[in-house]
């Protein structure tokens, strides 16, 4: 058993995968699978399914892997009263977060349509759109992709791994060992506000100060067309990266108690005044 | 459309004078950084400045230290369109940067209502609401990552491809 690492760029971020295995051949499979994912779901790829849906209304048959994402989006859309929505794509484009990163907000930005006005998702693979709609799967897509990679590794009998993409990660081990994860200070990336201990779970973070231009960052409230400013950053620990990633966006819009009705997770919220709110078992020591 | 809240008043004239002096005082040491105009008929989900809405986390504007763009609606008759205007000011205090919210209601270019909200208490009021499992911890400080023994860093220091380049470009354009 040796340690193998792979580093590459995909879905707009840097991936670091570390495994304990007999060989590194599984990495080729993983890169191919992520590439396939990107070709379908990225709004930055003109030939993707998402961009086809952005141009053409009608009945779309989704690939087999779509159901968990669309299902989770529908649940969170309801729990956040529509604040977390895959229909945010056009507004993101309009504030400048478009395929060419123009970062030039338009003068008038229209709030996205409601889910039911725009489309109907019929589990598992049918999406009927009543008009061309620009979807953005970014709030859940990366986490889901991390899970897909983790499943590939497990299927190939890899029993120790860390899959990390742009600061979000999933860990797996047969031992009692955990990894030490620095919680990067949103206001100073050379510093950490604490250390999280991660074992056989996922930790995903979200902050409002990296992709920042004019008065926006990458999380957009569809009703006010503004980016939330009371939270500097937050982290979610959950069994899967899809859930952790999704809730790391939902918590910008909704109180933890509401999400706790449907999901098991731990959280740490860092407010703009540097105070924090954490769930009882969030596995970290904070520096105060 | 939420109802406007008027401060406790002894007399209308006294209130008007004190509002004007407050505004003058406020203007003297607060740098108004953002003004958003909202026509009354367009307001659907105005950012609350006192009590947060029950099921969602309220928006507390950040203490702005750099000027942000001002957006105003176009007007051809009066100087200001009737409506409710919110502004955020930032000022230095011995305790550090503080932020304050101001909400004015204008009708026929006259201030008919004003509401001042210290933003810091707004953030705290979020935290004291509802049922929280864990108490509020003290402010966190940063420790140099290089000095820590860690396996991975969880942060967003890596922005998507091309984003950084785009940021550099728009910052350069803003200086023209």
């Amino acid at each position: 058993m040796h340690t193998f690492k792979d580093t590459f760029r995909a879905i707009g971020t840097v991936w670091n995968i570390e495994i304990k295995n007999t060989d590194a051949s599984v990495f080729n499979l993983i890169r191919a699978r992520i590439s396939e994912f990107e070709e379908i779901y990225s709004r930055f790829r003109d030939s993707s399914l998402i961009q086809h849906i952005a141009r053409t209304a009608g009945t779309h048959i989704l690939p087999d892997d779509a159901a968990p994402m669309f299902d989770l989006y529908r649940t969170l859309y309801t729990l956040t009263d529509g604040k977390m929505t895959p229909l945010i794509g056009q507004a993101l484009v309009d504030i400048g977060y478009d395929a060419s990163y123009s970062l030039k907000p338009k003068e008038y930005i229209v709030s996205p349509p409601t889910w039911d006005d725009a489309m109907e998702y019929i589990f598992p693979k049918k999406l009927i759109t009543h008009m061309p709609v620009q979807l953005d799967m970014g709030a859940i897509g990366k986490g889901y992709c991390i899970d897909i990679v983790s499943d590939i590794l497990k299927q190939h009998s890899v029993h120790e791994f860390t899959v990390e993409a742009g600061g979000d990660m999933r860990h797996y081990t047969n031992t009692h060992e955990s990894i030490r994860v620095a919680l990067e200070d949103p206001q100073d990336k050379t510093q950490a506000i604490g250390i999280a201990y991660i074992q056989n779970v996922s930790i995903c973070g979200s902050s409002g100060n990296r992709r920042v231009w004019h008065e926006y960052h990458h999380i957009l409230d569809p009703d006010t067309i503004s980016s939330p400013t009371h939270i500097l950053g937050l982290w979610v620990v959950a069994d899967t990266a899809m859930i952790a990633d999704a809730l790391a966006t939902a918590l910008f819009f909704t109180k933890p108690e509401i999400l706790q009705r449907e999901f098991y997770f731990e959280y740490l919220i860092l407010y703009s005044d540097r105070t924090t709110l954490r769930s009882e078992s969030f596995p970290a020591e904070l520096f105060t | 459309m939420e109802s406007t809240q008027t401060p406790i008043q002894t007399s209308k004239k006294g209130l008007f004078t004190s509002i004007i002096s407050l505004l003058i005082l406020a203007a003297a040491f607060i740098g108004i950084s953002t003004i958003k105009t909202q026509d009354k008929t367009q307001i659907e989900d105005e950012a609350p400045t006192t009590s947060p809405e029950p099921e969602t986390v309220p928006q507390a504007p950040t203490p702005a230290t750099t000027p942000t763009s001002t957006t105003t609606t176009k007007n051809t008759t009066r100087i200001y369109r009737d409506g409710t205007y919110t502004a955020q000011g930032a000022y230095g205090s011995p305790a550090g940067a503080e932020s304050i919210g101001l909400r004015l209601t204008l009708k026929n270019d006259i201030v008919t209502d004003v509401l001042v909200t210290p933003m810091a208490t707004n953030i705290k009021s979020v935290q004291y609401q509802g049922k929280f499992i864990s108490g509020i911890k003290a402010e966190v400080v940063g420790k140099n990552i290089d000095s820590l023994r860690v396996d991975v860093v969880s942060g967003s220091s890596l922005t998507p491809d091309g984003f950084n380049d785009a940021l550099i470009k728009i910052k350069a354009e803003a200086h023209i």
Side-chain angles (χ1 to χ4, degrees):
Chain A
M1 281 291 160
H2 296 287
T3 300
F4 298 98
K5 296 187 193 183
D6 197 15
T7 299
F8 54 92
R9 296 199 82 106
I11 60 170
T13 190
V14 177
W15 289 70
N16 286 295
I17 303 178
E18 186 175 313
I19 64 174
K20 278 212 179 83
N21 203 25
T22 50
D23 62 85
S25 58
V26 70
F27 288 147
N28 293 327
L29 240 151
I30 287 171
R31 287 192 188 210
R33 180 66 183 94
I34 295 174
S35 188
E36 194 184 290
F37 187 90
E38 191 163 14
E39 266 307 310
I40 298 167
Y41 295 112
S42 172
R43 69 174 170 91
F44 298 98
R45 291 276 169 95
D46 212 49
S47 52
S48 70
L49 172 64
I50 291 299
Q51 287 315 97
H52 172 74
I53 295 172
R55 292 184 293 264
T56 316
T59 301
H60 311 278
I61 302 303
L62 308 170
D64 290 340
D65 59 7
M69 271 199 298
F70 278 84
D71 201 47
L72 181 56
Y73 259 118
R74 182 71 210 196
T75 302
L76 287 170
Y77 180 85
T78 306
L79 286 173
T80 62
D81 287 331
K83 296 271 182 189
M84 183 164 162
T85 168
L87 292 152
I88 198 70
Q90 190 57 50
L92 287 172
V93 167
D94 289 348
I95 62 171
Y97 194 6
D98 53 34
S100 60
Y101 295 118
S102 69
L103 302 186
K104 286 192 167 83
K106 290 194 185 147
E107 203 186 337
Y108 298 107
I109 296 154
V110 180
S111 280
T114 65
W115 185 300
D116 295 331
D117 280 348
M119 60 192 189
E120 194 183 343
Y121 168 64
I122 300 163
F123 184 89
K125 294 188 343 177
K126 202 187 273 190
L127 184 73
I128 303 170
T129 56
H130 310 308
M131 57 187 98
V133 280
Q134 179 65 70
L135 300 175
D136 177 278
M137 313 292 285
I140 299 182
K142 195 203 319 175
Y144 186 40
C145 208
I146 291 173
D147 287 337
I148 289 174
V149 171
S150 303
D151 287 345
I152 291 174
L153 290 169
K154 286 185 196 177
Q155 280 157 26
H156 283 77
S157 307
V158 181
H159 300 299
E160 317 255 344
F161 60 78
T162 302
V163 177
E164 185 251 323
D168 296 339
M169 68 197 79
R170 185 155 164 192
H171 175 254
Y172 185 72
T173 182
N174 275 348
T175 69
H176 295 293
E177 285 179 17
S178 55
I179 53 169
R180 295 164 60 92
V181 179
L183 302 173
E184 186 188 272
D185 188 334
Q187 295 187 308
D188 184 347
K189 64 182 183 187
T190 67
Q191 308 216 309
I193 61 156
I195 298 190
Y197 301 91
I198 299 299
Q199 186 198 45
N200 275 318
V201 285
S202 169
I203 182 167
C204 291
S206 206
S207 78
N209 71 329
R210 287 286 170 245
R211 285 168 277 170
V212 172
W213 70 102
H214 296 278
E215 69 265 36
Y216 302 108
H217 60 80
H218 73 296
I219 293 185
L220 198 62
D221 182 316
D223 300 316
T224 63
I225 305 291
S226 63
S227 294
T229 52
H230 56 303
I231 293 176
L232 281 181
L234 53 84
W235 287 267
V236 175
V237 170
D239 285 343
T240 65
M242 185 175 72
I243 299 292
D245 195 18
L247 298 182
T249 292
L251 281 170
F252 271 89
F253 299 119
T254 305
K255 283 195 287 203
E257 297 80 78
I258 298 195
L259 302 170
Q260 279 166 339
R261 292 184 208 153
E262 293 285 332
F263 306 101
Y264 290 111
F265 62 99
E266 307 288 342
Y267 61 90
L268 170 70
I269 302 175
L270 174 65
Y271 293 105
S272 51
D273 64 354
R274 304 284 298 186
T275 58
T276 57
L277 183 68
R278 62 189 289 180
S279 57
E280 199 178 313
S281 305
F282 186 81
E285 66 167 285
L286 301 183
F287 307 137
T288 52
Chain B
M1 174 59 198
E2 58 183 280
S3 58
T4 55
Q5 299 170 33
T6 52
I8 297 163
Q9 45 187 309
T10 47
S11 77
K12 237 183 175 162
K13 203 172 180 182
L15 169 72
F16 198 72
T17 314
S18 60
I19 287 174
I20 295 298
S21 10
L22 176 71
L23 288 175
I24 290 169
L25 203 63
F29 66 89
I30 290 176
I32 303 288
S33 56
T34 304
I35 297 177
K36 280 196 172 79
T37 62
Q38 295 170 334
D39 192 306
K40 265 187 181 165
T41 58
Q42 284 166 11
I43 293 170
E44 220 188 356
D45 191 19
E46 200 177 356
T49 49
T50 49
S51 51
E53 283 156 43
E55 299 287 281
T56 58
V57 183
Q59 313 285 323
T62 46
T65 49
T66 54
T68 54
S69 59
T70 306
T71 54
T72 49
T73 52
K74 293 204 160 89
N75 196 323
T76 52
T77 51
R78 298 188 200 95
I79 297 168
Y80 292 109
R81 190 183 285 194
D82 289 354
T84 303
Y85 294 68
T86 55
Q88 302 155 45
Y91 60 94
S93 83
E98 269 294 315
S99 149
I100 199 157
L102 204 60
R103 191 175 77 181
L104 308 174
T105 305
L106 287 189
K107 196 169 170 60
N108 298 323
D109 286 343
I110 295 168
V111 176
T112 57
D113 188 42
V114 82
L115 183 67
V116 177
T117 312
M119 286 298 152
T121 51
N122 232 14
I123 293 164
K124 290 276 188 282
S125 73
V126 172
Q127 300 172 350
Y128 288 118
Q129 274 200 13
K131 201 177 54 167
F132 294 104
I133 299 164
S134 199
I136 309 306
K137 297 289 190 282
E139 291 175 24
V140 291
V141 298
K143 271 195 196 169
N144 213 294
I145 292 179
D146 292 338
S147 71
L148 304 168
R149 183 177 60 85
V150 294
D151 298 300
V152 203
V153 175
S154 178
S156 352
S157 41
L158 293 164
T159 55
D161 306 342
F163 205 95
N164 270 330
D165 296 340
L167 277 179
I168 292 167
K169 237 183 270 168
I170 61 163
K171 279 177 187 166
E173 280 169 14
H175 280 122
I176 292 168

